[in-house]
Amino acid sequence: MFELTFLGTAASAPLPKRGLSSVIVAHDEHRFMVDCGEGTQRQLLSSGLGFRRLEHILITHPHLDHILGLAGILSTLGQWETLDHMNIYGGQSALDRIEDLINRIVFRGTRPPIEINLIAIQPGFVFQGDDFDIVAFPVRHRGPDCFGFVFQEHSRRPFLNEKANALGVPQGPERRTLVKGLPITLADGRVIYPDDVLGELQPGTKLVITGDIGEIDGLERIARNAHALITEATYMESDAEIARQNGHITAAQAARLAQRAGVQQLILTHISGRYRERDLEAEARAIFPNTVIARDFDTFKIKALRDVPKPVE
Ligand SMILES: [Zn+2]
Ligand SMILES: [Zn+2]
């Protein structure tokens, strides 16, 4: 399961009730921030999440509404020294700009008090955990080095406690060995094989975050069967031509992508103040009914299986 907390959901400039782009994706003890628009540190505090375990920040692209918040966060962390290192992942263009921000502005003339690792990403693995991976994929927006991210739990076979109990498999390390796919020998000499106690292979949860995008072509395959697709809806279809010129998509395009990719839920962000939220939502829902427009501080639990994730009250 992935747990999302939206910290900022506005497009390009903040709105009274929406900060600039940032979302936290949590998986067990891991926490990833995706994008870090201006004001994100205050949103992080208001959300109750705080700076704890903020070691990984993924940047989709170099535009200022997605990176300026890094300056404030690094400045604060530099004073508090609550973290000893931070990994910032992004395309080379984003990292070049972030490096200027860090070395020429925030820590100008001094050594950063925490270790900051700028990690250049290419399409492919960005992070490989024990039970999930993060993969970057290229998107077309404005300028080079724009990426989206797929968070994918590994497929696994559930452990069938009832069968294990019936076979007399003790609680403890024996069960972990079976989960890893290795046989065990019981005290009475019987050998228990993984197939005896493991269920059918179940796909893990898949979460796709596209960042800003100027077209949906080519993304259907990447978002295929995702349990949640988070994408932008900067414009409505009535302004499709302006959207195209500015390298953004409309709510209707986002919904068509969700429909074609067969995702479970569509969550829209990067919302402009020029439209009423309910109009944007209606445009998307007419095509893909299971759409929500994220608001700042909304949280969602994204799970595999066919139960539909809902905002947590
Ligand atoms: Zn943007
Ligand atoms: Zn952008």
Side-chain angles (χ1 to χ4, degrees):
M1 180 181 77
F2 295 106
E3 195 159 359
L4 302 173
T5 306
F6 283 88
L7 299 177
T9 56
S12 29
L15 297 168
K17 292 193 174 163
R18 292 182 185 275
L20 290 173
S21 287
S22 187
V23 60
I24 297 282
V25 181
H27 189 275
D28 296 332
E29 77 278 13
H30 295 284
R31 194 194 265 192
F32 299 86
M33 175 180 279
V34 179
D35 286 336
C36 187
E38 176 200 337
T40 293
Q41 64 170 331
R42 188 154 190 274
Q43 300 288 87
L44 203 52
L45 293 172
S46 301
S47 73
L49 290 175
F51 294 99
R52 217 164 33 94
R53 289 186 278 114
L54 189 65
E55 288 165 12
H56 303 287
I57 301 187
L58 310 177
I59 298 295
T60 57
H61 68 293
H63 290 162
L64 295 179
D65 59 320
H66 297 256
I67 66 167
L68 273 185
L70 285 170
I73 284 184
L74 288 169
S75 165
T76 301
L77 289 177
Q79 292 163 43
W80 289 359
E81 296 180 29
T82 47
L83 271 185
D84 56 7
H85 74 282
M86 172 163 303
N87 297 328
I88 301 174
Y89 307 79
Q92 194 57 53
S93 305
L95 295 188
D96 289 347
R97 207 164 189 181
I98 291 165
E99 192 172 14
D100 282 351
L101 193 63
I102 294 171
N103 293 330
R104 288 171 179 262
I105 308 286
V106 181
F107 299 116
R108 184 185 167 96
T110 60
R111 251 176 80 93
I114 60 171
E115 179 188 328
I116 302 168
N117 303 309
L118 298 180
I119 300 165
I121 58 172
Q122 302 283 342
F125 286 109
V126 172
F127 182 92
Q128 290 179 278
D130 290 341
D131 50 2
F132 72 101
D133 300 316
I134 306 174
V135 171
F137 59 92
V139 296
R140 256 192 238 149
H141 174 41
R142 293 197 316 272
D145 294 337
C146 300
F147 291 96
F149 300 105
V150 178
F151 290 74
Q152 174 77 64
E153 280 180 339
H154 300 162
S155 302
R156 62 179 200 94
R157 295 176 67 184
F159 190 82
L160 305 173
N161 279 308
E162 277 180 19
K163 279 198 169 181
N165 293 342
L167 288 166
V169 178
Q171 301 284 343
E174 290 87 351
R175 294 192 176 203
R176 283 196 291 280
T177 304
L178 287 162
V179 168
K180 280 185 196 155
L182 300 170
I184 57 160
T185 305
L186 297 179
D188 62 11
R190 281 182 299 134
V191 177
I192 306 294
Y193 293 93
D195 281 345
D196 298 332
V197 293
L198 298 180
E200 296 272 309
L201 190 69
Q202 290 181 356
T205 304
K206 178 177 178 180
L207 164 69
V208 177
I209 301 179
T210 68
D212 292 5
I213 52 174
E215 59 179 33
I216 59 172
D217 294 349
L219 297 182
E220 183 182 321
R221 186 178 51 82
I222 288 159
R224 170 84 52 219
N225 296 334
H227 299 95
L229 167 65
I230 302 174
T231 191
E232 66 139 295
T234 313
Y235 290 92
M236 288 187 63
E237 200 66 4
S238 51
D239 293 323
E241 183 52 29
I242 305 172
R244 198 187 59 75
Q245 286 166 12
N246 290 330
H248 287 292
I249 61 167
T250 66
Q253 281 177 293
R256 280 197 285 276
L257 172 59
Q259 184 194 46
R260 288 175 195 162
V263 308
Q264 190 168 291
Q265 182 176 32
L266 172 62
I267 304 173
L268 297 177
T269 184
H270 210 265
I271 303 303
S272 155
R274 72 174 75 198
Y275 308 111
R276 287 191 308 189
E277 192 183 304
R278 63 173 180 271
D279 293 339
L280 263 185
E281 195 172 64
E283 179 172 295
R285 282 187 179 174
I287 297 164
F288 188 80
N290 197 14
T291 302
V292 291
I293 297 197
R295 293 180 176 171
D296 290 13
F297 310 117
D298 273 355
T299 63
F300 299 84
K301 290 182 194 296
I302 310 299
K303 288 185 200 168
L305 310 176
R306 298 312 292 182
D307 55 339
V308 175
K310 290 238 165 56
V312 179
E313 295 303 329

